[in-house]
Amino acid sequence: MIRLLLVDDEHLIRGAVAALLALEPDIDVVAQVADGPAALSAARALRPDVAVLDLEMPGMDGVSLAEALRAELPDTRVVIVTRHARPGVLRRALSAGVLGFVPKTAQAQSLADVVRQAHAGRRYVDPGLATEALLVGECPLTPRELDVLREARDGAAVSAIARKLNLSAGTVRNYLSSAMSKLDAETRFEAARRAWELGWL
Amino acid sequence: MIRLLLVDDEHLIRGAVAALLALEPDIDVVAQVADGPAALSAARALRPDVAVLDLEMPGMDGVSLAEALRAELPDTRVVIVTRHARPGVLRRALSAGVLGFVPKTAQAQSLADVVRQAHAGRRYVDPGLATEALLVGECPLTPRELDVLREARDGAAVSAIARKLNLSAGTVRNYLSSAMSKLDAETRFEAARRAWELGWL
DNA sequence: CGCCACCGATGACATCTGTCATGGGTGCAC
DNA sequence: GTGCACCCATGACAGATGTCATCGGTGGCG
């Protein structure tokens, strides 16, 4: 019997996925929680065999949670489920020791299979996603360029970004400019969107 | 027995929700489809009692689909499930004749209840969502202002927006400016984000 | 009819943004 | 030690953007 911890902030979806996995005779959903901290404490208390994490969560993102889980409970296998399967995120997840990576567009049946694979210590990554991730090279952006792009994501002005990062406005513009040229973008918003889609933000 | 049509582009989630609803003895999921056109043809063929629609779908949005369903099959009750419950969207959905409106953060159990309410012809809207929608007034933006904001959403330049809408650059700037002042935004991106969050885009 | 809201446009102006050259500082690798 | 990449900053410049005043046209409403 595979003892499973389910983490997803959307209650309805979490319950639905639990119902789906409960149909499998060899899977036992021992706990469902809504956020990272709750997941950590539940994992500590219950020591599940497999943790299934939603990637998109307010507060802590799924990869960070996977890292924290792996650090504290190396025996718990981690499977990540995500809506938008961004290549760079897959890369980070794999190096964080995540065994399974499934987009929400995958067949419903496949989740249980991936859980079993992970439980057996085998890696499973959605094939289409894997090839896409191979086509996208390493991230060419420096840490600071990523910082300014993160702030630029939701339309902040240069002055606002500069204030938040304690930089001069000119420096912010320089970072944005170099990021834009690296990403072949016309505006910083396009650059930020591109970087996000590639999973670099 | 309530005959139900399930529409969601995310296969995994769709299957999970189907599993959840299948647990209810009085609900029968007669079909699951991934997009608007498939939903319409399935509904024509099967004439389900209730259709459960995901709001966020590529191509056709959930409210438009609800309108189309209602126009063609007035007897099919519509329930909408959504991730981000934007007030303005709720307003549009209700005037489109949608009976149930549930955020994905709701209790898993509640979906089946809402389906039963809708089947009985009763309206059910998530209470927190309803009060939020009441607090947000009517949309103060003119159709053209909404147009330019829509185009501005993903970082297009003024000149690009002008080309796409067959307007002069100056006119676009005027619309953006007035929209920004109405929405109390510093940049057009902030304005577009705000308008979207309120469900006006 | 006048009033008013909306549409579309123009011109002028201040500010913001993107680009480039240039500089100094740190730390790592050969 | 000499590159080299990165960090942070400044100054200058062209072009984009936001604001404002103003104009003409359309159509609804009292």
Side-chain angles (χ1 to χ4, degrees), chain A residues 186-187 189, chain B residues 147-149 151-177 180 187-189:
Chain A
E186 295 279 316
T187 68
F189 305 102
Chain B
D147 286 342
V148 294
L149 281 183
E151 298 301 326
R153 272 264 295 158
D154 43 31
V158 166
S159 57
I161 301 176
R163 260 195 307 279
K164 195 170 289 184
L165 296 179
N166 290 318
L167 288 175
S168 87
T171 302
V172 171
R173 276 191 289 161
N174 288 339
Y175 285 149
L176 285 172
S177 185
M180 285 160 62
T187 69
R188 73 188 113 136
F189 305 102

Side-chain angles (χ1 to χ4, degrees), chain A residues 14-64:
Chain A
R14 197 170 73 231
V17 173
L20 183 72
L21 290 173
L23 297 178
E24 307 294 327
D26 56 338
I27 294 179
D28 180 20
V29 180
V30 294
Q32 306 178 26
V33 298
D35 54 41
L40 282 171
S41 62
R44 268 192 288 268
L46 300 168
R47 309 206 148 254
D49 299 314
V50 179
V52 173
L53 315 181
D54 186 4
L55 195 54
E56 290 88 12
M57 283 190 296
M60 188 182 247
D61 82 297
V63 176
S64 308

